[in-house]
Amino acid sequence: MSDRPLFESLEGLRGTGKSTVAPMLAAAREAVLVPTVPDFYQPLRREVDKRENVEARMCFYLSALFTAADQIQRCLDAGIPVVVESYFARCLANHQALGSRLGVALPADLPQPVTYQLVCAEDERRRRLAARDKPLSRWDALGEKSSALITDAYAEFPMQPVDTTGLAPHQVVQAILATDTEGAHRRADREPVGAHPHLLPPVPRRAQGARLP
């Protein structure tokens, strides 16, 4: 049986390639791509994102993630591989950077992914964002202003960095497939995503740089 991870997540700032790479990685792994904001949450998501209460927004996204985690666990129990475009790390890191004062301790029995942090040279990331045919929301703009804080918050999570600078999406997927995750998914299965009462898990980064083709 392959030692490949059964559950994988992509994290990173806007413009690093998460939404493009996630379905391609799922196809390469013959995995299910599970949306971490389920479809029936989407109408409320649009309404919540119009408001300015960061704690309310954080609670909404946590609710969506817990709902998605149930589906993810059912897939894993059936031996079906899962890929997600971001998981609890994004919600916690982003909302902490945006000023949330909520303390969150996540259950230790949540499905634990091997996580790849997509990174990109800042000038290229901004070019990608400028080329998007998508309006910039208030929260997107705030996230851009807080990008350094988000990156700092991400550093509290164990992730495998993958540099997407200058790479086509299929090359990023190949870089992920070539990443040495030996034992990483077994550790992830045991470690809580966030056990710290003040948002982030007290675990050191153990990631090594991905080998790009």
Side-chain angles (χ1 to χ4, degrees), residues 37-51 60:
V37 180
D39 287 344
F40 60 89
Y41 273 79
Q42 293 298 337
L44 182 56
R45 177 186 191 174
R46 290 189 287 272
E47 293 302 314
V48 169
D49 279 351
K50 292 177 184 177
R51 273 56 178 184
F60 168 79

Side-chain angles (χ1 to χ4, degrees), residues 2-207:
S2 173
D3 194 42
R4 70 186 186 186
L6 194 61
F7 179 25
E8 296 168 286
S9 173
L10 301 180
E11 297 287 350
L13 297 175
R14 296 173 62 251
T16 54
K18 299 184 302 296
S19 60
T20 300
V21 171
M24 297 174 67
L25 177 61
R29 294 293 202 194
E30 298 183 338
V32 174
L33 181 66
V34 175
T36 48
V37 180
D39 287 344
F40 60 89
Y41 273 79
Q42 293 298 337
L44 182 56
R45 177 186 191 174
R46 290 189 287 272
E47 293 302 314
V48 169
D49 279 351
K50 292 177 184 177
R51 273 56 178 184
E52 298 184 3
N53 188 315
V54 67
E55 275 85 15
R57 187 176 188 270
M58 181 177 180
C59 288
F60 168 79
Y61 280 94
L62 284 172
S63 175
L65 282 160
F66 280 118
T67 301
D70 288 341
Q71 180 183 354
I72 292 166
Q73 189 62 63
R74 287 194 296 271
C75 289
L76 299 179
D77 289 345
I80 301 170
V82 172
V83 170
V84 296
E85 178 202 333
S86 78
Y87 198 46
F88 284 92
R90 182 182 184 183
C91 179
L92 296 177
N94 275 262
H95 287 95
Q96 174 183 286
L98 293 173
S100 174
R101 296 159 294 177
L102 290 180
V104 176
L106 299 177
D109 60 352
L110 283 171
Q112 307 299 323
V114 168
T115 302
Y116 308 99
Q117 183 182 15
L118 304 188
V119 297
C120 180
E122 186 63 13
D123 57 346
E124 182 171 331
R125 188 180 75 86
R126 292 192 178 277
R127 285 197 300 271
R128 293 177 186 178
L129 292 174
R132 284 185 175 180
D133 184 18
K134 180 181 177 182
L136 184 73
S137 73
R138 173 181 177 274
W139 292 105
D140 290 339
L142 289 173
E144 284 303 305
K145 291 180 181 178
S146 304
S147 60
L149 294 176
I150 293 171
T151 298
D152 289 345
Y154 265 142
E156 299 298 326
F157 295 88
M159 295 189 283
Q160 302 276 348
V162 178
D163 192 342
T164 70
T165 306
L167 299 182
H170 73 277
Q171 293 175 307
V172 178
V173 173
Q174 289 304 312
I176 291 172
L177 298 180
T179 299
D180 181 7
T181 60
E182 183 179 355
H185 50 299
R186 289 190 290 274
R187 290 197 302 271
D189 285 343
R190 294 198 302 268
E191 292 173 349
V193 175
H196 196 283
H198 302 292
L199 288 180
L200 299 176
V203 290
R205 289 174 67 89
R206 289 187 295 270

